Amino acid sequence: MGSCSPQTGSTGGYWLAGSDGSVVPFGSALSHSYGGLGSTQVSSPVVGIESTCSGNGYWLVKRDGGIVPFGDAAVHSYGDLSGTNLSQPVVGMAATKSGNGYWLVAADGSVFPFGDAAAYNNGGPAVNKPIVAMEVTASGKGYWLVASDGSVFSFGDAAAHTYGGADSVPVNKPIVAMKRTRDGNGYWLVGSDGSVFPFGDATKHSYGGAEGMGLKHPIVGMEPTESGDGYWLASADGSVYPFGDAGTYGSTGSTSFTAPIVAIEGVPYTPLTVQSLAAVPAGAAGGSPSAPPVLPLVLGVAAILVGAAGFRVFRGRIPVGL
C-alpha cells in the first residue's frame, strides 16, 4: 500500500458495521463493498470497522481482539489478539498513517500495536471510566484515547494538540465516539444521545447534534465529511443523521435488523490522479480490462474535478432539504 496517507473524512459514502459482522455500504461505498461475516463466523461480537487508506478494503475488529480483513486489508494484516487473555475487551482500532499497521485499544486503555504502529504508552492510562474510542493525530505519530465520561488522554504528539474533554462540561449520556478535524487541531466528541462536543478548531465546524430528535436508539458513531464542514451520526438501528454539508445516502434505519449497528466508517479521500485511476483493477467499477488512452483519461479527470467543484458551489448557495 505504501504511504497513501488519506485525509480524514469521507468522499460521500460510508459503511455501517453490525455486531454480527454484517457490513452495509451507502453512497460511494457501494463501489467499495467487500462483504462481511456470516453469523456462523462471529465467535465474538464485532465492535468496529476501519478502512484501509486506499478505501479498497477494511478490517473488522471483534471484542476479543480478533481481526478479519476484507479487500486489500488482507495484505495489510499483521496479527491480532485472538486467543489472548485480555483484562478488558477490545473497543476499537485505528490504522497507521502508512496503512501498514494498526493499533487495538481495550476498555482499560491498553493499546496493542501491530505492523508499523509505534507504542506510545505502556499499560494504558489510569482511567475512572472505560475507554470507548481512539483517534490518531494528523501526523500519525500519536493518538488520543477518550473515556465514556469524556476524559481525553494524549500520547505521542497528541499532547501538543489536546484541547480539553467533555468531562469538563455537563454530559447527559456517555461519550461513544471521537473524530479529529482535518488538520488535527481539534476534535469532536459524541454522546450516545447525539450530543456533539467540539474542541480546538472543531468549534468552527460544528453543526449541531441529534440530542433533540427523539432518538429511539443510541448514537454509536460519527464520520466527518471530506471538507470537514459536516458529519454523519449513526445510531444502533442504522439510522444516519447528516449535518453541515453531509449528503443523504441512505441507512438501515427503516429496515428490520437482526443485530445492532456498532460503527460507521467513511470511504477515505485519496487524491484523484491518472496513476490511481489507471491502477483500478478491471471490473472494480464496471470498467474495461484494457487501460484507457492517456489523453481521454486526463480530460475525463479534469471534467470530474470541474464537476465536483461546481457541485460544491451549488450546494453552498442553495439549501438542500434532508
Side-chain angles (χ1 to χ4, degrees):
M1 186 181 299
S3 181
C4 51
S5 304
Q7 300 292 332
T8 186
S10 170
T11 56
Y14 43 78
W15 300 280
L16 297 179
S19 64
D20 61 352
S22 57
V23 178
V24 188
F26 296 91
S28 61
L30 289 168
S31 60
H32 295 273
S33 184
Y34 304 98
L37 295 173
S39 58
T40 59
Q41 297 176 281
V42 184
S43 56
S44 179
V46 167
V47 295
I49 179 174
E50 179 78 359
S51 173
T52 61
C53 58
S54 68
N56 293 323
Y58 41 76
W59 299 273
L60 295 181
V61 57
K62 298 190 288 185
R63 182 181 171 90
D64 65 358
I67 295 288
V68 187
F70 295 88
D72 67 357
V75 296
H76 295 281
S77 286
Y78 303 96
D80 61 21
L81 296 172
S82 57
T84 303
N85 186 19
L86 298 172
S87 299
Q88 292 290 322
V90 166
V91 296
M93 77 179 291
T96 62
K97 190 172 181 178
S98 71
N100 294 320
Y102 42 76
W103 295 272
L104 303 185
V105 60
D108 62 356
S110 298
V111 176
F112 305 91
F114 295 89
D116 67 357
Y120 294 106
N121 67 315
N122 296 315
V127 296
N128 295 319
K129 296 292 184 179
I131 295 297
V132 296
M134 175 187 210
E135 185 73 350
V136 179
T137 61
S139 70
K141 297 180 180 179
Y143 45 74
W144 301 276
L145 304 181
V146 62
S148 62
D149 66 350
S151 301
V152 174
F153 304 90
S154 308
F155 301 91
D157 68 357
H161 298 278
T162 298
Y163 305 96
D167 55 329
S168 62
V169 298
V171 176
N172 295 321
K173 294 292 183 179
I175 296 298
V176 295
M178 176 184 197
K179 288 291 180 178
R180 69 169 172 86
T181 58
R182 187 167 183 170
D183 61 9
N185 292 321
Y187 41 76
W188 301 273
L189 303 183
V190 183
S192 64
D193 62 350
S195 300
V196 176
F197 303 93
F199 297 89
D201 65 0
T203 57
K204 298 181 291 185
H205 301 278
S206 283
Y207 304 94
E211 67 272 27
M213 294 185 176
L215 300 177
K216 295 181 180 180
H217 299 272
I219 294 297
V220 296
M222 176 193 210
E223 183 63 30
T225 62
E226 175 194 337
S227 68
D229 290 324
Y231 41 76
W232 295 274
L233 301 181
S235 65
D237 68 342
S239 296
V240 177
Y241 304 90
F243 296 88
D245 68 355
T248 301
Y249 301 109
S251 71
T252 62
S254 60
T255 62
S256 177
F257 62 100
T258 58
I261 295 299
V262 294
I264 180 173
E265 177 75 350
V267 179
Y269 167 73
T270 51
L272 187 62
T273 64
V274 172
Q275 182 180 6
S276 66
L277 286 180
V280 174
S288 167
S290 59
V294 174
L295 180 58
L297 182 58
V298 172
L299 294 175
V301 171
I304 291 171
L305 294 175
V306 171
F311 178 70
R312 289 194 180 101
V313 171
F314 176 82
R315 286 202 55 187
R317 292 178 178 176
I318 302 178
V320 178
L322 300 177

